[in-house]
Amino acid sequence: MGCGVILDGYLFLWFALYIRAETQNHSRSGRTGSFRADESRCDEPESPMTKTLRNDRRNVAIIAHVDHGKTTLVDAMLKQTGSVATYKDLEERVMDNTDLEKEKGITILAKNTAIRWGDTKINIIDTPGHADFGGEVERGLAMVDGVLLLVDASEGPLPQTRFVLRKALEANLSVILVINKIDRPDARIAEVIDEVYELFIDLDATEEQIDFPIIYSVARDGIATMDLEVPGTDLTPMFDLILEKISPPSFDDEHPLQAHVTNLDASPYLGRLAICRIHQGTIKKDQIISHCRVDGSIVQAKITELYITEGLERITASEASAGEIIAVAGMPDVTIGETVADQDDARPLPTIRIDEPSLSATIGINTSPLTGLDGKKLTARMIKDRLESELVGNVSINILPSDRPDSWIFQGRGELQLAVLVETMRREGFEMTVGKPEVVTKMIDGKLHEPMERLAVDINEEHLGTVTQLLAHRKGKMVNMVNHGQGRVRMDFIIPARGLIGFHNEFVVETRGAGLAHHVFEGYERWQGEMRSRPTGSLVADRRGVTTTYSLLSAQERGQLFIPVATEVYEGMIVGENPRPQDMDLNMVKAKKQTNMRSAGADKAEHLDTHKELTLEQALEFMMDGECLEVTPNFVRIRKIVLDQNKRGRATGAKKLAAV
């Protein structure tokens, strides 16, 4: 299967694109109004400043769907270029250096490294592949001139592939397509390339953008090749292709300093570090600069330290010029999107545009009877300060005040992003209450709109009917279905974002763990109407105490338990799942009465079923209206917002009466 075979696969697509481009050119020639205004701007005389290319630098981001091999490819690049002192003891996915990233096996924060190939330094940005961390991708793209688009040779382009590619095309970045994992037995390389071309056309790519080079790789083994008939031995073809196809940084010789703050870091000695891409000019250590803030104000600051990246290390530098990615200290209140400019000629760069959040949840102090027994950071002030500090380094979230002084509204991209923040805070010693995630709606033309997601599921054929029915109940609309003839079916849906809350658990159960599901934000549409929530109810403890074997033996007959023996519970705490839609209050602390009388069944053995311990993400999905999470450093408990069962009963009765 050589390049000739692949070319035959997308020849028709190329011809169609050409016809469409010609049609667009003819139609544009007759347009008036705004388009002509844009044309007139293009005809303005160029600046007298001279454009200079910095050929000794390349800035490239690696973008892809989750688990398509981005971080693994960076590992191979570092090893083969000798960018680390020794790689024998280099751990896998070295760029995933936080505890959460290592545990979950995903990239959460965008990070940069640098390698040298010949006389050229290549700055590499490793970006997350999960849709919830799209803000990190958008920041990473602001630092580079081109991207490596990784696509799995079997799975092909998935929802996040569409998202990251759209951002790259909007930024007019050079694209190199990397077909990764070509050694998979189920690889379908020609079909995947066709799907990528279709994706480019669907995203309205220009003729120049769609003329991208293609390279094939096995990132795990550190090999790449331009021709499938010639097996690769190392990553040399990829490095050469980067130097050839990725545009070098350009700058104006006479333009004053302009550097864009795209990320933040912290040092225990220097305080806040600003990660910047220098667009114009030169910056030096101890230089006085203009700090252009997001609020429009400009203040003077001194660059106390200047760092550049070599391999995995930051090294001190005396100066850096246009095209370089640097870290600087000296601006204690700097934030993302601001500009480091010349002292005498401050010209701020445009702020980084980030997609709006689509999910919200309330975070407040812990109000359960067990508060203060586990964590050390309990007060509203501590939680507020921590949430505000998160805003500094994460531009994709919002923190808004609620109607209560001891809680705040978190707005982000998805449940995983919320779970990562809460998990980070609990590891720092916080206790808090987290409300049920809800979607962020907006009014458009006086009508209620809600966020929609593009969902891709990959399942076995036998689960086709079950999954289709599951998504139909959640207002999902199928837009595409592909059967590759290998017993697996790929389906694409457009579904309300609220339909995905609690979906993952059901999906895993229905597909017996064999299904794959990925989603990405699609846009806003009219409110889709009422939607069924979780079809099951909750088992609720009716008093405080410690669970016993005797009480759990009777409780497990009612449903699936979430807690083991000797667990402290309190009234209103959810201890399990009721298969019926109603809630059920149970005595979880009763003990067997002692007697000196023998019974016929005294020697009968009774066994407790294994309880289901929910993770933080599963607990967030499990919650229903009227429920929330109690999160402490060592425990995640689901509870009712109103703990007293009598008050809950009266509230439920009043709600039913009002509905009549």
Side-chain angles (χ1 to χ4, degrees), residues 67 152-155 180-188 218:
D67 287 336
D152 189 292
S154 174
E155 296 180 359
N180 195 29
K181 306 183 184 180
I182 59 173
D183 60 333
R184 289 185 58 162
D186 57 346
R188 46 187 193 91
V218 183

Side-chain angles (χ1 to χ4, degrees), residues 537-544 551 554-555 558-559 561 569-578 580-590 626-627 638-650 652:
S538 302
L539 301 178
V540 189
D542 66 353
R543 67 199 68 191
R544 184 170 178 178
S551 62
S554 60
R558 307 292 185 182
L561 296 181
V569 298
Y570 52 84
E571 183 181 7
M573 176 177 163
I574 295 172
V575 295
E577 183 177 11
N578 185 10
R580 298 185 178 184
Q582 298 83 18
D583 292 339
M584 183 181 296
D585 293 283
L586 300 174
N587 182 357
M588 303 299 297
V589 301
K590 63 182 177 181
E627 298 174 354
I638 311 175
R639 47 161 285 191
K640 294 292 184 179
I641 296 176
V642 180
L643 297 178
D644 188 282
Q645 59 179 314
N646 295 321
K647 292 181 179 179
R648 288 201 310 273
R650 287 195 294 269
T652 303

